[in-house]
């Protein structure tokens, strides 16, 4: 129940994100492949840190005498991010002949991963759980929105099969089950350990991560890169 109050607080932002031009253009087939390839490289880097954060929370759950089953589930979520989701990305790398071995995080990737890693590492577990929630929930939500738009457009547009594979994963029932499990874990943590200050912080982290999700797609839309720090001739 508490997780839904976080969602309600972020609803105005999420309603903008679900119409993000990057996502809409994936569905209507007008997104440039260069932007999509940029995105999947950055998202693969993000998922490595996201999986690490889930493992950290799983370990922290046991260290503070928490529920062993929830700890195992958090580690399973980490495997899902590191293997299942990144398998999709690796298939894209293969299809597009992308060598991401030396890829470096771009500014908004680093901003997002640094923020969530700091919260997970230095704050109470309830806050750590909340900061990771948008990556599950916002992706499911936009996936469902994109599925609906794809159905509405029907055969009137064409898109690369990689776009459809992405939409199918995040708009699919299997991912939805994962998301609902994670929401239940956040609700459980909020109910058991959430005093007023903790709940306030959980909501703040949820909203911040929703902003960072939006900015992650902004980054791909604009092909953001680091400034050129070389001396001008």
């Amino acid at each position: 129940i508490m997780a839904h109050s976080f969602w309600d607080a972020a609803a105005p932002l999420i309603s903008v994100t679900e119409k993000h031009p990057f996502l809409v253009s994936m569905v209507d087939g007008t997104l440039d492949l260069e932007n999509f390839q940029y995105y999947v490289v950055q998202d693969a880097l993000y998922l490595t840190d996201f999986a690490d954060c889930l493992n950290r929370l799983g370990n922290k759950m046991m260290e503070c005498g928490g529920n062993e089953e929830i700890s195992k589930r958090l580690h399973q979520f980490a495997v899902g991010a590191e293997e299942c989701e990144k398998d999709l990305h690796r298939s894209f790398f293969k299809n597009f002949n992308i060598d991401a071995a030396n890829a470096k995080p771009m500014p908004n990737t680093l901003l997002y991963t640094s923020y969530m890693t700091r919260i997970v590492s230095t704050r109470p577990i309830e806050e750590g759980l909340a900061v990771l929630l948008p990556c599950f929930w916002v992706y499911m939500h936009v996936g469902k929105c994109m599925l609906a738009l794809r159905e509405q457009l029907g055969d009137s547009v064409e898109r690369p099969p990689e776009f459809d594979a992405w939409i199918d994963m995040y708009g699919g029932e299997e991912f939805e089950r994962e998301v609902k499990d994670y929401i239940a874990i956040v609700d459980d943590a909020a109910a058991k350990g959430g005093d007023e200050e903790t709940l306030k912080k959980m909501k703040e982290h949820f909203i911040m991560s929703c902003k960072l999700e939006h900015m992650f797609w902004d980054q791909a839309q604009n092909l953001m890169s680091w400034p050129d720090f070389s001396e001008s001739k």
Side-chain angles (χ1 to χ4, degrees):
I1 301 301
M2 190 52 65
H4 283 81
S5 73
F6 304 156
W7 181 271
D8 291 343
L13 168 60
I14 294 164
S15 70
V16 174
T17 298
E18 69 189 38
K19 303 178 191 73
H20 197 291
F22 182 89
L23 301 174
V24 173
S25 60
M26 270 182 69
V27 186
D28 67 23
T30 61
L31 181 67
D32 286 344
L33 280 179
E34 181 184 8
N35 297 77
F36 185 73
Q37 291 167 8
Y38 172 106
Y39 162 77
V40 295
V41 169
Q42 290 303 303
D43 199 42
L45 293 170
Y46 169 89
L47 284 170
T48 298
D49 285 343
F50 184 68
D52 177 67
C53 283
L54 286 162
N55 280 322
R56 287 171 185 260
L57 288 177
N59 294 337
K60 187 181 280 192
M61 180 71 70
M62 292 309 298
E63 288 164 7
C64 65
N67 185 301
E68 185 176 353
E69 285 304 310
I70 292 179
S71 173
K72 285 180 181 176
R73 191 73 183 97
L74 290 168
H75 288 300
Q76 288 170 356
F77 285 130
V79 171
E82 189 64 44
E83 294 183 8
C84 301
E85 291 187 69
K86 284 182 72 173
D87 275 352
L88 181 69
H89 292 63
R90 283 185 280 267
S91 75
F92 296 154
F93 294 165
K94 183 178 179 181
N95 293 355
F96 295 129
N97 198 26
I98 296 172
D99 179 6
N102 297 311
K104 297 289 188 288
M106 289 300 171
N108 287 358
T109 309
L110 186 62
L111 178 64
Y112 195 174
T113 58
S114 298
Y115 178 73
M116 70 180 183
T117 301
R118 177 176 67 83
I119 300 305
V120 166
S121 302
T122 67
R123 302 296 302 163
I125 193 166
E126 295 85 3
E127 293 182 37
L129 289 166
V131 80
L132 301 187
L133 180 55
C135 184
F136 285 102
W137 206 346
V138 171
Y139 263 65
M140 181 187 80
H141 178 74
V142 300
K144 299 293 186 190
C145 292
M146 292 165 81
L147 273 178
L149 178 57
R150 185 173 71 179
E151 188 172 329
Q152 179 185 332
L153 292 173
D155 296 330
S156 67
V157 300
E158 292 184 1
R159 69 189 69 80
E162 291 82 8
F163 294 6
D164 278 323
W166 192 96
I167 296 166
D168 289 339
M169 169 169 272
Y170 293 109
E173 292 179 1
E174 185 176 344
F175 188 69
E176 182 177 357
R177 284 193 293 271
E178 296 281 293
V179 174
K180 286 180 175 177
D181 280 358
Y182 192 83
I183 291 171
I185 289 173
V186 174
D187 277 336
D188 183 71
K192 291 179 179 175
D195 56 30
E196 188 176 346
E197 182 61 24
T198 300
L199 294 175
K200 179 184 173 188
K201 288 291 187 184
M202 290 174 77
K203 182 170 76 171
E204 286 176 6
H205 299 319
F206 181 86
I207 292 171
M208 180 58 73
S209 286
C210 286
K211 292 177 181 177
L212 292 166
E213 286 289 344
H214 189 97
M215 291 166 62
F216 199 87
W217 283 309
D218 278 347
Q219 174 180 256
Q221 181 77 16
N222 300 320
L223 298 175
M224 181 186 284
S225 60
W226 291 98
D228 182 0
F229 294 106
S230 59
E231 292 186 21
S232 56
K233 300 289 184 184

